[in-house]
Amino acid sequence: MITALIITVTVAIIFIALFIDERGSTHEYREEIKSQKERIRSLEETAYTPVVSSSPVTQGRVDDQDLWDLTPDLVADVVKYNGYVPDKKEDAVFFMVQGERYVVPTDRLPYLLVMKRFSIDKEKYDIVLLRQAAAKTTDARLIGKVSVSDDGGVLCFFVSAIEPKYGHFRDVFNEYVSIINDLENMFGETYNQMVNDREEISKLEANGIPIEAVSNRESKIVS
């Protein structure tokens, strides 16, 4: 486009030079020719000056697997990447750690859980104390949760998170497993201590010690 404009201006100068009106001022035409030559020079400089962008050139995006949207297949890949054998089902990925089964439900991605579940023998365990120990452990840890099902038949340790990207979930996966193990250990200690304390209180009461003497301690145990 600039080249065409230069040619047009050049032709105009030649036309002016060849068809000067004898009645006009020669000086005026010379000034016009000079002006047009300067314009041509300016256009030539513009035409041959490389265009430099004020903003940096954006490189084409390289496909980064860390930014892949998390899918059930990638959940299984995360389990494998961290050293476990994934067992992918329709809505979950199961894996074993030291003989114990864990599961990652995948039906609500990117919201997910990493969890461990146990069946509760209601004849063996005190469900009321189990619920109290679960609440105490959850409050103490903040990250992660311990829960007892409504019917008292299932005990669950889990970490819930929103994990939209493969890379982040891959890198924190073992931390989630560690949190669950810590929850289980803390819960076991808490529950056993509560059972021992309850038995101790029962013995004190059986020996005729007034309930007021142990009421403060009991409130700490079951609060």
Side-chain angles (χ1 to χ4, degrees):
M1 180 178 179
I2 294 177
T3 302
L5 182 57
I6 293 174
I7 294 173
T8 302
V9 174
T10 303
V11 171
I13 293 174
I14 296 172
F15 179 84
I16 293 171
L18 293 176
F19 298 95
I20 296 177
D21 188 339
E22 293 181 357
R23 294 171 297 177
S25 168
T26 304
H27 175 72
E28 291 178 359
Y29 286 110
R30 286 177 179 172
E31 289 298 320
E32 178 65 19
I33 292 172
K34 181 181 178 181
S35 175
Q36 295 294 345
K37 286 183 178 180
E38 290 176 353
R39 187 180 180 189
I40 290 174
R41 188 180 303 109
S42 176
L43 290 172
E44 288 176 339
E45 291 175 355
T46 302
Y48 292 103
T49 300
V51 177
V52 179
S53 174
S54 59
S55 59
V57 177
T58 302
Q59 298 293 332
R61 181 181 179 276
V62 177
D63 190 12
D64 185 351
Q65 67 176 8
D66 286 357
L67 301 179
W68 288 350
D69 291 338
L70 195 62
T71 65
D73 286 339
L74 288 179
V75 169
D77 187 81
V78 164
V79 171
K80 183 177 181 180
Y81 177 90
N82 283 278
Y84 311 107
V85 179
D87 180 16
K88 185 175 178 294
K89 305 296 185 181
E90 182 177 355
D91 293 326
V93 176
F94 297 86
F95 60 100
M96 303 290 288
V97 180
Q98 297 181 347
E100 295 187 330
R101 199 181 196 198
Y102 295 68
V103 59
V104 182
T106 58
D107 57 334
R108 297 178 60 189
L109 295 175
Y111 176 77
L112 56 74
L113 305 174
V114 180
M115 64 168 53
K116 181 194 287 188
R117 301 174 63 186
F118 297 95
S119 296
I120 299 174
D121 185 347
K122 298 181 183 180
E123 299 297 324
K124 183 178 180 180
Y125 295 96
D126 186 319
I127 302 302
V128 173
L129 287 187
L130 282 177
R131 294 189 191 281
Q132 293 171 357
K136 282 180 172 289
T137 304
T138 297
D139 290 344
R141 285 293 302 182
L142 296 179
I143 300 176
K145 185 175 181 179
V146 185
S147 68
V148 178
S149 63
D150 292 341
D151 63 0
V154 177
L155 175 65
C156 184
F157 305 90
F158 63 91
V159 177
S160 61
I162 297 176
E163 290 288 352
K165 301 301 179 183
Y166 165 77
H168 184 265
F169 184 51
R170 178 199 63 207
D171 294 341
V172 301
F173 181 79
N174 270 327
E175 294 182 23
Y176 289 161
V177 173
S178 295
I179 289 171
I180 292 173
N181 292 336
D182 289 345
L183 284 171
E184 184 180 1
N185 292 335
M186 181 179 291
F187 170 82
E189 293 173 0
T190 302
Y191 176 77
N192 290 333
Q193 186 63 52
M194 292 175 72
V195 170
N196 292 337
D197 289 345
R198 176 65 63 85
E199 291 175 352
E200 184 179 345
I201 290 172
S202 297
K203 290 178 181 179
L204 291 174
E205 291 178 330
N207 291 329
I209 299 176
I211 188 63
E212 290 81 6
V214 295
S215 60
N216 289 337
R217 184 176 181 181
E218 184 177 15
S219 66
K220 293 179 181 179
I221 295 171
V222 300
S223 61

